[in-house]
Amino acid sequence: MSSSTDFVKRKSIDVYFKKYFGILLLILLTVIFWFIFKVISPHNFGTPGRLLSYFQSSLIYAVGGCGLYFIVAMGLWDFSIGANLVLSSILACYFSQHYGYLGLILAPIVSGTLIGLLNGIVYINFHIPSMIVTVGLSLIYESLSVFATQGQEQILGPNYRAFGTYPYNVILAICAFVFVSLVIKYTKMGTYMYAIGSNEYLAKNMGVDVNKFKVLSYILCGFLVGIMSILNISYGTSMTAASGMSSMSMNFTPLMGTFFGMSFRKYGTPVIAIIIGEFIISLIFNGFVAIGAPTTIQNVVTGIALLLIVTITTKPVRGIVVK
């Protein structure tokens, strides 16, 4: 009896140690990147005020990264995030002019959710790889944004920009993070998401309705992109329609945060990993801006840093096939 109690205690200690080890490792990475750029550019980088600005901008991408997490954890992709963001932000501007904050909040959330639902339905019924489906649909969403604006830049009214500043942007982002954490930890969606991502055929044989939960993952992703749109248009205050797949570049910053979540999910803190990961990405971007580095160099070093972080935090398994 005593030995079993000791075993349970050691198991609990191990779980807590792993959880906080992941968080401490992320904080350590944050400090390292901050220190490097602070030494190189002491006057233009890393002051408390600038750090708060970096954090607020990173929250926007962290919300989108949480949405993508539902997709990537199942082994799927969604490359329509950028087009969804553009269209939902444009609708937020339009409806805020007629319905105030009600239009600013509801329009992008409804738009983002419906786009997620459409992505899921097309993916399931057409039996096409998710990457191809979402790239194709992003062209349609971009065309809708051009049609809706007639090429005119959409500007959010100055009376409806509260979610672009502290503390309202932080409050809205925290609501999104809490929602995602609850779904992952306490719902069938969270459980089946990992089961489908680990072994889809086994999950189906165990009675999991795989198609239903895949569609649900796209809906949740679209819902969170809708919230991301509120934060994005409130922070940036304007949005121009996208065309020719120009929205594709908007996919990658949220996706990088999702990679952090995937890498650190073994510590049981994917949402925290996404938040801190996006902050690290924001630190790197702003660090290069502070030292005046060209954009191409910024992208190269950021990509290398991301690969190194994912490689360091992912334990290789002998004999496993890396897809």
Side-chain angles (χ1 to χ4, degrees):
M1 184 70 179
S2 175
S3 61
S4 63
T5 305
D6 291 342
F7 174 77
V8 171
K9 285 183 178 177
R10 285 198 299 272
K11 193 72 176 176
S12 300
I13 292 171
D14 287 345
V15 169
Y16 277 104
F17 176 76
K18 283 185 67 177
K19 177 179 180 180
Y20 290 110
F21 175 78
I23 296 173
L24 288 174
L25 183 58
L26 283 165
I27 293 174
L28 178 63
L29 287 170
T30 306
V31 173
I32 289 172
F33 282 111
W34 173 83
F35 180 76
I36 291 171
F37 286 108
K38 188 66 178 174
V39 169
I40 298 173
S41 181
H43 303 295
N44 298 328
F45 177 82
T47 62
R50 292 178 189 272
L51 287 175
L52 179 61
S53 175
Y54 306 158
F55 177 69
Q56 291 185 71
S57 62
S58 70
L59 285 177
I60 300 171
Y61 300 110
V63 172
C66 286
L68 269 174
Y69 185 78
F70 291 110
I71 302 291
V72 177
M74 284 193 181
L76 307 174
W77 296 97
D78 188 346
F79 283 102
S80 66
I81 296 293
N84 189 345
L85 179 66
V86 170
L87 183 57
S88 297
S89 297
I90 286 171
L91 292 175
C93 286
Y94 177 80
F95 281 95
S96 67
Q97 296 171 8
H98 296 82
Y99 303 103
Y101 273 108
L102 187 64
L104 173 69
I105 295 171
L106 288 183
I109 289 178
V110 172
S111 168
T113 305
L114 288 177
I115 287 174
L117 174 63
L118 181 61
N119 286 348
I121 290 175
V122 173
Y123 166 70
I124 293 298
N125 288 285
F126 282 63
H127 304 287
I128 303 173
S130 58
M131 184 183 297
I132 298 173
V133 167
T134 51
V135 168
L137 287 174
S138 70
L139 290 171
I140 297 174
Y141 305 146
E142 285 187 351
S143 300
L144 289 176
S145 70
V146 174
F147 176 76
T149 62
Q150 298 297 316
Q152 299 293 318
E153 182 183 34
Q154 300 300 301
I155 300 174
L156 184 66
N159 295 329
Y160 306 114
R161 298 175 181 175
F163 290 112
T165 56
Y166 178 84
Y168 300 104
N169 54 353
V170 176
I171 292 171
L172 182 59
I174 288 175
C175 290
F177 298 143
V178 170
F179 170 75
V180 173
S181 299
L182 292 176
V183 170
I184 291 175
K185 192 167 185 178
Y186 296 109
T187 67
K188 285 184 179 179
M189 178 65 204
T191 304
Y192 293 162
M193 173 181 70
Y194 290 128
I196 294 169
S198 176
N199 192 321
E200 181 178 333
Y201 294 105
L202 182 61
K204 185 177 287 185
N205 289 332
M206 293 291 289
V208 177
D209 189 341
V210 173
N211 287 345
K212 170 186 168 183
F213 284 99
K214 282 184 175 179
V215 173
L216 189 55
S217 70
Y218 276 105
I219 292 173
L220 286 171
C221 181
F223 172 77
L224 286 157
V225 173
I227 297 176
M228 179 186 177
S229 302
I230 298 170
L231 295 169
N232 184 66
I233 192 63
S234 301
Y235 185 78
T237 70
S238 67
M239 179 60 71
T240 305
S243 60
M245 299 183 72
S246 61
S247 66
M248 199 59 65
S249 62
M250 298 179 182
N251 295 324
F252 297 113
T253 307
L255 188 59
M256 286 192 283
T258 305
F259 287 158
F260 274 92
M262 294 298 294
S263 298
F264 282 81
R265 74 174 182 179
K266 61 187 175 187
Y267 300 113
T269 55
V271 174
I272 295 175
I274 292 170
I275 297 168
I276 301 178
E278 290 291 0
F279 183 60
I280 292 174
I281 298 297
S282 180
L283 274 180
I284 296 173
F285 279 148
N286 285 284
F288 280 115
V289 171
I291 63 177
T295 305
T296 49
I297 299 298
Q298 296 177 29
N299 292 336
V300 169
V301 178
T302 303
I304 292 173
L306 179 65
L307 288 173
L308 285 175
I309 291 167
V310 174
T311 302
I312 292 170
T313 55
T314 303
K315 185 178 180 180
V317 179
R318 176 175 290 184
I320 193 171
V321 177
V322 180
K323 298 180 180 178

